[in-house]
Amino acid sequence: MIFRLLSTALPVLVSLLFSAVAAAKPPGLTLANVYQKGMPLEGYWVSEKFDGVRAYWTGNRLISRGGHEYRAPAWFTRGFPEHPLDGELWMGRGRFAELSGAVRKLVPVDQEWRKIRFMVFDFPVSGMPFDQRLLRLQATVARVGSPFLAVVRQQRATTHEALMARLDAIVRAGAEGLMLRRGSSVYHAGRSDDLLKVKHYRDAEAVVIRQLPGEGKYEGMMGSLLVELENGRRFRIGSGFSDAERASPPEIGAVITFKYYGHTATGLPRFASFLRVRDDEPPR
């Protein structure tokens, strides 16, 4: 009886152990700094910043930036190349919450995944400049011919004025912003000016420490959140919430994304406003 139980449980335990080890090694992703007026634009490519979930194709599975697997249906990734791709799972502008709910499920729902595309913006090959990686990426995706795999459209950047005009137009159309990639840059992990976010505001993440009660029309609801930044500094966020979010606020310990406009004299985010709960990591 004991032998039978061990023979049944052992494969499951080994599978869980393997998953835990695999998840312990997040991919080394290229991360973005923030574009500032006056930065040189020569040699950069510009593309839409998608309101999606960052995903990395390892050659046989899709994983999150934390190293956990997105359980995409087999038909979704059928034909994907056997080498890595860097991109975002995307459902459309303004549909982040719907997308996040779909990709985080342990058992994927075909109807939801048929609305999703893997928008690829880089080909993680060491030592090759982005100008060449883009050409290889376009050729690879064209050869695959999958309806669920697409290359993010890139155009050469020109002037600051043209960049701002494009930003205004794309934001009016419902997009989040733009991205700039240096054509001469090689793929590497970490944050640098090789990749830049272009938005009307800055955004960052913080951990919820406490839910503070509301007053007046928000009596009986959450009024603001006490949050903590990565550097340990704490402050309150009281705007950007819908009534539904105030009635059922982010839980203590949740990671939220907020937008802000510069910093105060003490170094805290100025005019911070809630954007969303950052729930793009699939369950372990």
Side-chain angles (χ1 to χ4, degrees), residues 2-282:
I2 295 176
F3 178 78
R4 188 182 304 120
L5 288 173
L6 285 173
S7 63
T8 302
L10 187 58
V12 176
L13 292 173
V14 170
S15 176
L16 290 174
L17 179 60
F18 178 80
S19 297
V21 172
K25 296 181 179 179
L29 300 177
T30 298
L31 303 175
N33 281 334
V34 178
Y35 170 77
Q36 303 284 349
K37 183 179 180 180
M39 285 183 167
L41 290 171
E42 184 179 357
Y44 276 91
W45 295 88
V46 59
S47 62
E48 178 175 343
K49 184 182 188 302
F50 290 98
D51 186 17
V53 168
R54 185 78 176 266
Y56 188 90
W57 172 250
T58 66
N60 54 44
R61 61 180 182 145
L62 282 167
I63 62 174
S64 69
R65 58 181 174 175
H68 305 110
E69 183 176 2
Y70 291 114
R71 292 162 178 83
W75 53 260
F76 184 88
T77 58
R78 186 174 295 123
F80 279 22
E82 296 180 355
H83 50 70
L85 299 172
D86 190 2
E88 291 208 11
L89 294 169
W90 190 61
M91 193 178 276
R93 293 170 178 170
R95 301 178 68 177
F96 177 84
E98 184 181 358
L99 169 74
S100 174
V103 302
R104 294 177 65 249
K105 291 178 179 175
L106 289 172
V107 179
V109 177
D110 284 359
Q111 184 178 355
E112 294 174 337
W113 277 87
R114 293 195 186 281
K115 304 174 187 176
I116 299 171
R117 299 293 180 269
F118 185 34
M119 306 299 295
V120 185
F121 46 66
D122 214 333
F123 193 98
V125 179
S126 62
M128 181 184 294
F130 180 72
D131 290 340
Q132 295 180 25
R133 298 201 307 274
L134 179 59
L135 293 175
R136 180 174 291 191
L137 182 61
Q138 291 168 337
T140 299
V141 172
R143 184 169 59 251
V144 168
S146 169
F148 305 107
L149 186 64
V151 178
V152 174
R153 184 168 174 250
Q154 303 280 351
Q155 292 181 308
R156 285 291 188 182
T158 54
T159 65
H160 172 78
E161 290 72 23
L163 185 66
M164 291 300 100
R166 183 172 178 184
L167 176 63
D168 290 340
I170 204 167
V171 168
R172 284 195 300 269
E176 190 175 88
L178 298 171
M179 298 297 297
L180 290 167
R181 283 177 174 78
R182 198 194 309 267
S184 60
S185 64
V186 297
Y187 193 92
H188 61 87
R191 203 174 298 278
S192 76
D193 288 350
D194 290 340
L195 184 64
L196 297 168
K197 292 188 289 187
V198 187
K199 304 172 76 170
H200 286 307
Y201 58 84
R202 297 187 181 187
D203 57 33
E205 294 170 353
V207 177
V208 177
I209 301 299
R210 191 181 307 156
Q211 301 165 349
L212 303 173
E215 299 177 351
K217 68 175 182 177
Y218 296 133
E219 186 174 356
M221 306 168 74
M222 180 271 295
S224 63
L225 294 177
L226 178 67
V227 301
E228 183 175 286
L229 297 171
E230 187 178 14
N231 62 10
R233 300 203 59 187
R234 297 183 176 185
F235 66 102
R236 296 184 182 187
I237 297 179
S239 63
F241 302 98
S242 65
D243 287 348
E245 289 165 338
R246 290 185 184 278
S248 182
E251 298 179 359
I252 294 173
V255 178
I256 67 165
T257 301
F258 65 93
K259 65 180 180 180
Y260 65 103
Y261 300 85
H263 292 86
T264 66
T266 60
L268 290 175
R270 185 189 300 275
F271 305 127
S273 179
F274 174 79
L275 280 177
R276 66 174 73 95
V277 175
R278 208 209 86 185
D279 53 358
D280 54 354
E281 285 290 335

